[in-house]
Amino acid sequence: MKGEKQLAGMAEELKAKLTLCPASEKTLGGRSTTKSLVNGHAATAVYTILSRSDRRQHGIFFSGDEWAKKITQHIPTGNWQRYIDPSAGVGDLLLEICKTFPLGDSFSATQLAWSKLLSANDLRLSFIEIAWTRIQALAVSRHQLRGDDLNIDSLIEMPPSFQTGDTLSKRTSFLTGDCLVMNPPFQRIKTPPDSAIGTGLYSAAALHLERIIAQAEPGVGIVALVPDVLRSGSSYKKFRALLNSKLDIREFIPLGRFGASADVDVSLISGITSKARTVTSSRGTESFKSTHNIGENFKVRVGSVVPHRTSSAKSKLGYINVKNTPAWAELERIETKASYLATAEQGPFVVIRRTSSPSDKERARATVINTKEMVLVENHFIICKPLSGLISDCRKLVANLKDKRTNQWLNQRIRCRHLTVSAVSELPWWED
């Protein structure tokens, strides 16, 4: 990876600064150096070395102080003997946990005690070296050491429980009493042949959790920050079924947008591994079912035309796309024509724009298509065709989508910035 030599040099420099600070500084072994190590400036320095594109490619987006506090606050209750971060980065999560650990009788005793309580893994040696140095800096700060109290012999070596390796291929045993704290990579990667999640490209976060749960004994605590699509996306149903079969889920909740560095909505999973079991209900991760919902009275599917990829046909038909379909209108004629070899639809039906963000004022912007002619529909729409064939049911659906409760429900159900067929199908039919 680009910048690896610079990162290695940075790790050595931080360690040297921690021990070579001037004795004249009042406390903390060099207040500015120690404070910078603890409060996240190390992560900022890494970001200046690695380009945004490189970080996105490798899924390098650190938790930071605020997210570390949020994540660790949701650690499931348990008598945890060891805290493990299998994708540690520069140690934000473990550092936050160390803030709750008791101090030893001396700085050396504290380092030794903490090293036995912690385990870290990352692909990059430089990252875990920085993580360990930051943990030592926290111990320096909490012991209130002065510059002349600290030298290179005061620091113990990075413990053997801090290792490098790929979590997706590394064989590791997670034992009863272990607690895993995770902000795994988010980038999409190809699933291995033995994955139970599916085939193709999936979030690396899902694959990390799948791998870890497979290697964990019952009684292992897990708290993880993941893309919200794992909680709500239809393509991750198998992943959620896997979680429910092997994890006693305490929380699976949306937490909003991660931040500017990774523009994605996230959720938090918290639970304790259990013996594998067959699950007939979704134990909370699919808790949005309703006795009366849209899927009961409408056939819901995605438009069949993918522009620039769908083959051409000889005849032209009316073509519904984002440009010619205003929200909340009722269209009786489709002026735009196109020739695509795709499934055509006959009205009446409703189309809902798939692009939909939790920040939008209206999440389910819809249009009634009231025409008997056969029309093509772009895949940027979800089609809701009434089983009754009645235009009146289409109008009732639009009124349901305009209801303020729809926004509230969707913002709980799906935080990613597009609607899914399953989310629309499960949307309740509001009855006063």
Side-chain angles (χ1 to χ4, degrees), residues 267-284:
S267 286
L268 184 136
I269 300 172
S270 177
I272 300 175
T273 57
S274 58
K275 292 181 179 179
R277 61 189 183 275
T278 301
V279 179
T280 56
S281 66
S282 56
R283 300 180 63 84

Side-chain angles (χ1 to χ4, degrees), residues 228-301:
D228 187 67
V229 68
L230 272 63
R231 181 188 66 89
S232 57
S234 57
S235 59
Y236 286 91
K237 282 186 176 180
K238 291 182 179 179
F239 167 75
R240 293 191 290 272
L242 174 69
L243 281 187
N244 283 313
S245 69
K246 297 184 178 181
L247 189 69
D248 180 7
I249 297 173
R250 307 297 171 86
E251 294 179 290
F252 202 168
I253 55 175
L255 293 180
R257 190 162 301 183
F258 184 82
S261 60
D263 190 17
V264 61
D265 285 287
V266 293
S267 286
L268 184 136
I269 300 172
S270 177
I272 300 175
T273 57
S274 58
K275 292 181 179 179
R277 61 189 183 275
T278 301
V279 179
T280 56
S281 66
S282 56
R283 300 180 63 84
T285 62
E286 302 274 2
S287 59
F288 303 102
K289 303 295 183 183
S290 172
T291 304
H292 302 288
N293 54 44
I294 289 174
E296 291 179 349
N297 298 306
F298 289 81
K299 187 174 183 179
V300 184
R301 57 181 176 270

Side-chain angles (χ1 to χ4, degrees), residues 116-137:
K116 293 178 180 178
L117 294 171
L118 302 173
S119 178
N121 182 79
D122 199 274
L123 286 170
R124 299 155 194 86
L125 176 61
S126 55
F127 282 4
I128 59 170
E129 287 178 337
I130 292 170
W132 178 243
T133 301
R134 294 180 73 200
I135 290 168
Q136 290 176 305

Side-chain angles (χ1 to χ4, degrees), residues 41 43 56 68 78 88 91 127 158 190 249 291 302 308 358 364 374 377 381:
H41 289 184
R56 287 182 69 90
F127 282 4
M158 185 173 69
K190 189 175 181 179
I249 297 173
T291 304
V302 175
H308 311 299
M374 301 298 291
V377 182
F381 288 103

Side-chain angles (χ1 to χ4, degrees), residues 12-81:
E12 288 297 319
E13 182 183 359
L14 292 176
K15 185 175 180 180
K17 283 183 176 180
L18 185 60
T19 58
L20 299 178
C21 49
S24 59
E25 294 195 27
K26 293 182 179 180
T27 59
L28 307 187
R31 179 184 297 273
S32 60
T33 298
T34 308
K35 186 176 180 180
S36 294
L37 281 168
V38 172
N39 69 11
H41 289 184
T44 302
V46 171
Y47 280 1
T48 62
I49 293 173
L50 301 178
S51 68
R52 181 179 174 85
S53 60
D54 198 25
R55 286 187 281 121
R56 287 182 69 90
Q57 179 184 350
H58 296 281
I60 302 171
F61 296 103
F62 302 136
S63 305
D65 293 346
E66 291 186 12
W67 278 114
K69 289 176 183 176
K70 288 181 183 179
I71 295 167
T72 55
Q73 285 171 358
H74 291 269
I75 291 174
T77 302
N79 184 24
W80 308 122
Q81 306 300 308

